[in-house]
């Protein structure tokens, strides 16, 4: 059997690679259907036995339904019990609380010292410490019985049971243990008998990553993923698209990527438009797990790494404060709350009725009973009134928190539109375009869309563009581009369709792919494993979460790559720690057969995350090379990674590492001058690491003098006396980089949410900070980046000199 598959894999793989159409080839399809016919032949029975067969099947189906029902109930129940873990506040918070007692000038040093001490004694391994697996309880009798039933049915070849069993073993559902090899076997059986696309996709995933005892094999991965993709399995399509785009495990091919992304994007848009008027809400933001810890390393490492996200307790505090404020009749706060409850936040789920209530409060204050603005409103009040009216109309149009009521919607949208509110104009335009509650009137619709577009409403820009596409294609395209620049999903989609329809040419493909990719990643209602991964993570099902983030990583999600790497790394630490305690720990690598495979895959995800511009990932990649984790030790490659991280991301940690390598001549030629330069730069971007940097500089100084006294080669430039001025060229480069980073944060859903016009997590963090404004200089980790020169800190340098000599070989 195996050898047949190998041959088939080879045949198909070469076939797939050779085919020039958009990934879907008729020969592929023929092969698949012949495969299915073969498998079906197994199931065909003699005429006489058909009756018996039917009865048996019915019985089987009934016992399956029963068992599945019990298991699902159990699943739902245990999910409820654990709920989301309450996150204990982090050490940084504690630091904030005592920081007021410390004079400002000394604060960075105290903080640095605390971090250094904590790290030395392994106290701040927050990333590892926080990630604790949920303990396995024994299952109730009933559940055990249900699992036995499922197993029996699976052995008899019941497809649904096989699938359920495989999923259970894959993700450790229903309090069972993960058993990847058995899951693999069951997916394989299912794929064999029914050609089930999900099973094929999972097999592809196994082969692509080398999970369990499976050998990593790109040709097999390609085979199975393609088989699934041909059947329109979206995760498989996205995986293939992303692989072809980046050339991971397959030849790079824009055209193939285009075909798969196009198919997924079209389904996504169909789904989007199948929602209420104006479309489904965009899926929730995708969190980088590192953000909860204030970064991959638990510290802010540079201008492009994220702030620590707001934690639950501060959020609750803030919410309470806002609600009290709203009760006092503060209109702006009311609107903030409307926004919060309408869109939801990870600590405050969507709540339409509450949003409506706040809206009504605002309307009552600002509007007359006839739905016109009261006399004598200030400009700010007028704008709030318009917003509230529009929002109220839209919620009635879409039936959110209230039954659909197009008459009320029309009334309030008219009010909003009259007051020049873009959202209202667009929605009203849609009503005229489609003849909802009013007779259809294209001219009026276009007028309204234009109004909305002129007010900078992205939905309006798209609708206007679509309406005038045939008469004024140039203007239409311009409007689409504007909306696409602001991340509007429909704008990207129609642009992609435009590009894809153009005559062949490499840049056409690139442009189309970029937009389709955006649609399929941003509008991933139908295929994203990330929400489920995050839910597992919150319930302490870390291995399941890791497996799902790995799937997301294979689909090309930057967030998936980062989170997978993070969880795999934490798992390695956990397993190592457990291994030290127990003596019988050779078979503890739950996801991979060997430690080596585990670490190799971790490095692979750090590398891909780095290529997706995730903060700190490049430094992690360097660390792997530096320490030889999951790869041959290679100081030169480590240095190369640090250089990239330093120059492209201005990562303070990477700069420090680089300085250290130059100081000691590891992976690079020893060069005191460059060492000093990197330490200096590191101070600039990374205030938290000030102490470590100054200690390093002190040590560097001593080493320099020592080497100089012994007559060694210390380079030419004088080290500590005249810092080299920054050349104009360097400055220009720095500016260009900053700009690139500003515009290129595609993975950051927060930014997109803001572009879509409402508050993201960052805003809430900012609000929290503003609330503590009294001790503002305490908690702004990066606000007071005072440019103190080395001489200004000479005192500390001397003070910590001795300590530095001892401590600093470690980071
Ligand atoms: C695969 O089989 C399972 C169980 O029969 C089913 O729920 C699932 O939808 C199937 N997947 C596809 C893509 O058909």
């Amino acid at each position: 059997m195996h050898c047949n598959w190998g041959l088939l894999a080879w045949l198909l793989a070469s076939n797939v690679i050779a085919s020039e159409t958009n990934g879907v080839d008729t020969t592929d399809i023929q092969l698949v259907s012949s495969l299915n016919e073969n498998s079906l032949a197994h199931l065909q029975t003699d005429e006489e036995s058909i009756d018996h067969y039917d009865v048996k099947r019915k019985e089987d189906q009934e016992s399956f339904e029963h068992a599945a029902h019990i298991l699902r109930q159990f699943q739902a129940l245990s999910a409820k019990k654990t709920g989301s873990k309450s996150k204990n506040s982090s050490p940084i918070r504690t630091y904030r609380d005592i920081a007021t007692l410390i004079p400002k000038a000394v604060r960075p040093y105290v903080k640095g010292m605390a971090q250094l001490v904590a790290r030395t004694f392994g106290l701040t391994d927050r990333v590892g410490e926080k990630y604790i697996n949920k303990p396995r309880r024994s299952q109730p009798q009933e559940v055990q019985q249900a699992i036995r039933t499922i197993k029996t049915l699976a052995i008899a070849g019941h497809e649904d049971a096989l699938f359920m069993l495989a999923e259970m073993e894959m993700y450790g559902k229903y309090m069972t243990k993960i058993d990847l090899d058995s899951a693999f076997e069951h997916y394989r059986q299912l794929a064999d008998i029914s050609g089930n696309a999900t099973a094929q996709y999972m097999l592809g995933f196994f082969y692509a990553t080398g999970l369990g005892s499976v050998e990593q094999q790109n040709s097999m991965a390609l085979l199975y993923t393609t088989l699934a993709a041909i059947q329109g399995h979206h995760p498989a399509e996205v995986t293939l698209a992303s692989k072809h785009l980046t050339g991971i495990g397959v030849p790079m091919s824009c055209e193939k990527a285009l075909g798969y992304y196009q198919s997924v994007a079209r389904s996504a848009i169909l789904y989007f438009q199948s929602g209420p008027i104006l479309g489904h809400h965009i899926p929730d933001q995708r969190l980088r797990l590192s953000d909860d810890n204030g970064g991959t390393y638990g510290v802010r490492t540079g201008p492009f790494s994220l702030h620590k996200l707001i934690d639950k307790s501060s959020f609750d505090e803030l919410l309470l404060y806002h609600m009290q404020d709203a009760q006092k009749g503060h209109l702006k706060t009311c609107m903030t709350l409307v926004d919060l409850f309408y869109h939801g936040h990870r600590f405050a789920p969507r709540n339409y009725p509450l949003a409506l209530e706040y809206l009504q409060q605002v309307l009552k204050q600002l509007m007359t009973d006839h739905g016109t603005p009261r006399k004598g409103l200030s400009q700010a009040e007028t704008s709030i009134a318009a917003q509230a009216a529009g929002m109220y109309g839209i919620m009635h149009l879409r039936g959110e928190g209230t039954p659909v009521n197009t008459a009320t919607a029309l009334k309030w949208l008219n009010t909003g539109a009259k007051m020049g509110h873009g959202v209202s104009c667009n929605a009203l335009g849609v009503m005229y375009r489609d003849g909802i509650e009013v007779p259809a009137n294209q001219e009026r619709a276009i007028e309204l869309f234009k109004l909305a577009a002129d007010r900078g409403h992205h939905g309006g820009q798209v609708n206007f563009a679509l309406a005038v596409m045939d008469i004024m294609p140039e203007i239409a395209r311009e409007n689409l581009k504007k909306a696409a620049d602001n991340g509007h999903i429909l704008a990207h989609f129609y642009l992609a369709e435009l590009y894809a329809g153009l005559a062949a040419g490499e840049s056409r493909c690139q442009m189309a792919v970029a937009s389709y990719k955006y649609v399929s990643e941003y509008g991933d209602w139908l295929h994203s494993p990330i929400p489920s991964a995050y839910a597992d993570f919150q319930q302490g099902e870390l291995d399941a979460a890791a497996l799902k983030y790995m799937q997301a990583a294979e689909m090309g999600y930057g967030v998936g790559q980062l989170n997978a790497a993070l969880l795999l790394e934490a798992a390695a630490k956990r397993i190592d720690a457990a291994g030290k305690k127990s003596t019988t720990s050779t078979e503890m690598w739950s996801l991979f057969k060997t430690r080596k495979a585990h670490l190799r895959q971790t490095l692979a995800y750090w590398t891909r995350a780095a290529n997706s511009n995730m903060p700190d990932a490049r430094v992690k990649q360097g660390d792997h090379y530096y320490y030889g984790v999951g790869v041959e030790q290679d100081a030169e490659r480590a240095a190369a990674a640090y250089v990239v991280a330093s120059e492209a991301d201005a990562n303070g940690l990477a700069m420090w590492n680089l300085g250290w390598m130059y100081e000691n001549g590891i992976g690079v030629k020893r060069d005191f001058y460059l060492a000093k330069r990197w330490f200096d730069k590191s101070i600039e971007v990374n205030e938290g690491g000030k102490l470590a940097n100054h200690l390093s500089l002190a040590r560097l100084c001593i080493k320099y003098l020592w080497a100089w006294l012994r007559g060694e080669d210390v380079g030419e430039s004088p080290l500590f006396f005249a810092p080299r001025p920054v050349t104009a060229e360097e400055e220009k480069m720095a500016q260009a980089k900053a700009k690139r980073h500003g515009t290129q944060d595609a993975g950051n859903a927060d930014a997109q949410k803001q572009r879509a016009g409402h508050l993201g997590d960052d805003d809430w963090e900012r609000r929290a900070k503003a609330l503590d404004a009294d001790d503002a200089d305490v908690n702004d980790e990066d606000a007071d980046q005072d440019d103190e020169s080395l001489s200004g800190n000479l005192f500390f340098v001397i003070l910590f000199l001795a300590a530095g000599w001892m401590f600093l070989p470690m980071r």
Side-chain angles (χ1 to χ4, degrees):
M1 189 71 197
H2 249 289
C3 114
N4 280 346
W5 273 112
L7 187 65
L8 189 60
W10 180 80
L11 271 173
L12 257 182
S14 49
N15 184 355
V16 169
I17 292 164
S19 72
E20 278 309 323
T21 50
N22 296 340
V24 181
D25 194 323
T26 43
T27 22
D28 295 350
I29 295 169
Q30 277 160 13
L31 260 167
V32 173
S33 53
S34 75
L35 249 180
N36 286 348
E37 269 163 31
N38 280 343
S39 343
L40 284 179
H42 290 303
L43 295 179
Q44 253 147 36
T45 39
D46 292 332
E47 292 253 331
E48 306 94 82
S49 59
I50 279 184
D51 272 352
H52 170 71
Y53 183 71
D54 274 354
V55 172
K56 175 92 173 57
R57 216 165 65 161
K58 212 167 157 208
E59 276 173 16
D60 280 359
Q61 192 55 30
E62 272 167 16
S63 53
F64 170 78
E65 302 284 346
H66 181 67
H69 178 71
I70 290 174
L71 290 181
R72 284 195 197 106
Q73 262 187 341
F74 179 62
Q75 176 91 340
L77 211 69
S78 42
K80 220 186 250 164
K81 248 181 216 154
T82 19
S84 68
K85 288 183 298 179
S86 70
K87 303 246 163 85
N88 41 2
S89 59
S90 74
I92 290 187
R93 187 86 194 155
T94 340
Y95 164 77
R96 275 185 190 180
D97 297 340
I98 57 165
T100 27
L101 306 173
I102 307 169
K104 195 174 164 196
V106 196
R107 256 178 233 155
Y109 297 95
V110 175
K111 186 171 167 189
M113 198 66 187
Q115 277 174 358
L116 202 66
V117 170
R119 217 170 285 160
T120 311
F121 295 106
L123 298 179
T124 50
D125 197 3
R126 271 177 254 143
V127 177
E129 144 208 324
K130 202 163 170 184
Y131 297 165
I132 299 167
N133 253 319
K134 180 156 104 182
R136 300 270 144 200
R137 291 184 283 112
S138 61
Q139 302 126 327
Q141 275 295 319
E142 201 189 15
V143 172
Q144 286 176 13
Q145 179 57 43
I147 290 177
R148 269 197 296 274
T149 310
I150 296 287
K151 277 187 179 159
T152 317
L153 288 170
I155 290 170
H158 188 285
E159 290 172 21
D160 293 341
L162 254 177
F163 188 75
M164 200 160 186
L165 184 60
E167 297 267 291
M168 176 179 99
E169 291 163 336
M170 183 83 199
Y171 303 115
K173 282 176 161 181
Y174 325 121
M175 295 283 160
T176 58
K177 265 223 194 90
I178 288 184
D179 183 346
L180 292 180
D181 290 341
S182 184
F184 178 78
E185 202 44 48
H186 289 130
Y187 280 130
R188 208 164 62 84
Q189 280 172 22
L190 185 58
D192 276 356
I193 59 176
S194 72
N196 182 292
T198 313
Q200 289 168 340
Y201 161 74
M202 289 307 289
L203 292 177
F205 175 59
F206 267 92
Y207 280 116
T209 52
L211 278 177
S213 308
V214 175
E215 280 286 318
Q216 191 171 15
Q217 256 173 295
N218 284 334
S219 58
M220 292 297 268
L222 182 60
L223 163 70
Y224 279 112
T225 318
T226 307
L227 288 176
I230 292 167
Q231 302 187 55
H233 189 258
H234 291 317
E237 288 179 304
V238 181
T239 306
L240 276 186
S242 155
K243 285 186 183 197
H244 278 299
L245 193 63
T246 49
I248 292 176
V250 297
M252 211 184 262
S253 160
C254 182
E255 289 297 327
K256 281 192 179 173
L258 178 66
Y260 290 122
Y261 274 135
Q262 184 176 55
S263 150
V264 177
R266 284 182 178 167
S267 306
I269 293 301
L270 275 183
Y271 178 80
F272 175 70
Q273 290 172 335
S274 73
I277 301 167
L278 303 176
H280 276 289
H281 285 297
I282 298 299
D284 279 339
Q285 57 171 322
R286 302 172 280 259
L287 281 181
R288 312 177 206 183
L289 300 180
S290 55
D291 289 351
D292 266 347
N293 303 309
T296 309
Y297 287 94
V299 291
R300 189 164 152 73
T301 50
F304 305 121
S305 85
L306 262 209
H307 296 269
K308 188 173 157 39
L309 290 186
I310 190 165
D311 58 32
K312 176 133 176 53
S313 61
S314 329
F315 179 84
D316 288 344
E317 211 175 292
L318 197 61
L319 184 56
L320 200 69
Y321 174 85
H322 273 74
M323 283 173 121
Q324 283 165 356
D325 214 28
Q327 235 162 32
K328 286 181 212 149
H330 197 288
L331 295 176
K332 230 174 161 177
T333 314
C334 284
M335 290 311 283
T336 305
L337 288 173
V338 168
D339 178 273
L340 174 71
F341 288 120
Y342 184 74
H343 294 286
H345 183 272
R346 76 196 152 111
F347 296 134
R350 276 212 171 99
N351 188 336
Y352 293 137
L354 211 53
L356 265 186
E357 236 170 74
Y358 282 112
L359 272 180
Q360 272 157 349
Q361 192 181 329
V362 173
L363 290 177
K364 217 181 258 165
Q365 276 192 48
L366 297 181
M367 296 287 190
T368 62
D369 293 340
H370 309 294
T372 50
R374 286 186 196 282
K375 292 221 166 65
L377 294 184
S378 72
Q379 199 172 356
E381 282 169 332
T382 314
S383 134
I384 290 180
Q387 260 179 45
M391 196 77 190
Y392 197 73
I394 282 189
M395 288 181 78
H396 280 83
L397 184 63
R398 292 164 58 92
E400 289 165 332
T402 159
V404 173
N405 184 338
T406 42
T408 313
L410 183 64
K411 171 181 154 192
W412 287 103
L413 287 176
N414 253 323
T415 309
K418 262 189 213 132
M419 297 170 79
H421 181 230
V423 179
S424 308
C425 293
N426 178 50
L428 195 61
V430 170
M431 291 181 83
Y432 276 104
R433 185 191 65 195
D434 300 346
I436 300 167
E437 192 67 27
V438 288
N441 180 343
Q442 295 311 312
E443 276 99 73
R444 178 95 182 97
I446 294 180
E447 239 172 70
L448 283 161
F449 290 147
K450 177 141 188 352
L451 262 177
D454 290 346
R455 314 227 156 236
H457 185 261
H458 312 315
Q461 286 163 348
V462 174
N463 281 331
F464 179 63
L466 293 181
V468 301
M469 186 61 86
D470 293 336
I471 17 177
M472 306 183 272
E474 271 315 306
I475 292 179
R477 196 172 300 188
E478 226 167 80
N479 272 287
L480 282 183
K481 274 194 184 136
K482 260 191 247 164
D485 283 345
N486 285 290
H488 197 280
I489 187 169
L490 277 179
H492 271 287
F493 179 70
Y494 289 116
L495 272 184
E497 296 272 289
L498 275 182
Y499 292 139
L502 292 181
E506 192 54 20
S507 73
R508 149 210 166 257
C509 181
Q510 298 289 349
M511 288 196 293
V513 160
S515 281
Y516 277 135
K517 179 170 192 282
Y518 180 89
V519 174
S520 63
E521 284 193 358
Y522 194 40
D524 55 3
W525 299 273
L526 300 176
H527 61 261
S528 173
I530 292 181
S532 159
Y534 188 63
D536 280 347
F537 169 74
Q538 282 192 310
Q539 295 190 359
E541 302 281 1
L542 298 185
D543 287 336
L547 285 168
K548 287 172 188 171
Y549 278 126
M550 281 169 69
Q551 289 172 35
E554 298 293 322
M555 290 182 201
Y557 285 97
V559 173
Q561 291 151 356
L562 184 80
N563 289 351
L566 211 68
L567 286 178
L568 287 181
E569 184 167 273
K573 279 184 190 158
R574 252 190 345 261
I575 296 169
D576 279 340
K580 264 178 216 148
K581 274 181 212 144
S582 78
T583 45
T584 56
S585 66
T586 43
E587 283 307 304
M588 297 187 67
W589 294 89
S590 46
L591 301 188
F592 296 88
K593 199 173 173 196
T594 61
R595 184 166 193 276
K596 197 165 158 240
H598 186 112
L599 298 176
R600 186 201 60 211
Q601 201 61 24
T602 314
L603 171 59
Y605 288 135
W606 282 129
T607 306
R608 290 187 212 168
N611 292 339
S612 313
N613 278 324
M614 291 286 133
D616 294 336
R618 186 69 70 195
V619 190
K620 282 280 186 191
Q621 185 195 12
D623 290 353
H624 271 259
Y625 282 116
Y626 185 87
Y627 294 109
V629 178
V631 68
E632 251 346 81
Q633 195 161 14
D634 187 340
E636 271 171 44
R637 291 180 87 165
Y642 292 145
V643 168
V644 174
S646 303
E647 293 193 336
D649 308 332
N651 189 304
L653 209 58
M655 293 176 178
W656 193 90
N657 291 348
L658 210 51
W660 198 77
M661 292 177 90
Y662 272 116
E663 178 186 339
N664 294 294
I666 297 172
V668 289
K669 189 172 170 300
R670 187 170 79 166
D671 188 328
F672 287 114
Y673 171 71
L674 282 177
K676 161 123 187 345
R677 197 170 140 220
W678 284 118
F679 285 138
D680 279 346
K681 279 197 158 189
S682 176
I683 295 180
E684 267 169 44
V685 299
N686 185 12
E687 197 218 349
K690 234 176 190 171
L691 172 78
N693 276 304
H694 282 168
L695 290 180
S696 310
L697 278 173
R699 191 186 48 184
L700 182 68
C701 175
I702 294 176
K703 273 201 179 167
Y704 176 80
L705 290 175
W706 183 246
W708 179 70
L709 282 176
R710 289 168 43 135
E712 289 173 19
D713 173 21
V714 293
E716 284 169 17
S717 343
L719 192 53
F720 284 105
F721 305 101
R724 192 172 65 95
V726 181
T727 64
E729 198 179 307
E730 275 178 335
E731 201 153 289
K732 229 190 272 160
M733 258 168 66
Q735 273 168 6
K737 262 165 207 155
K739 217 161 149 199
R740 187 159 59 89
H741 267 278
T743 54
Q744 204 190 43
D745 204 356
N748 185 354
D750 268 331
Q752 286 160 354
K753 275 209 163 187
Q754 276 162 45
R755 279 189 227 128
H758 59 274
L759 302 173
D761 236 332
D762 268 0
D763 288 277
W764 287 101
E765 176 74 18
R766 219 168 293 135
R767 274 158 194 270
K769 280 189 176 165
L771 195 59
D772 317 339
D774 296 338
D775 50 315
D777 56 340
V778 178
N779 47 27
D780 243 328
E781 280 176 55
D782 46 344
D784 48 354
Q785 289 215 3
D786 21 9
D787 270 320
E788 288 159 281
S789 65
L790 178 67
S791 61
N793 292 302
L794 210 56
F795 167 70
F796 296 103
V797 173
I798 295 167
L799 192 68
F800 293 127
L801 211 62
W805 191 259
M806 282 158 43
F807 271 130
L808 276 168
M810 67 203 99
R811 247 172 329 104

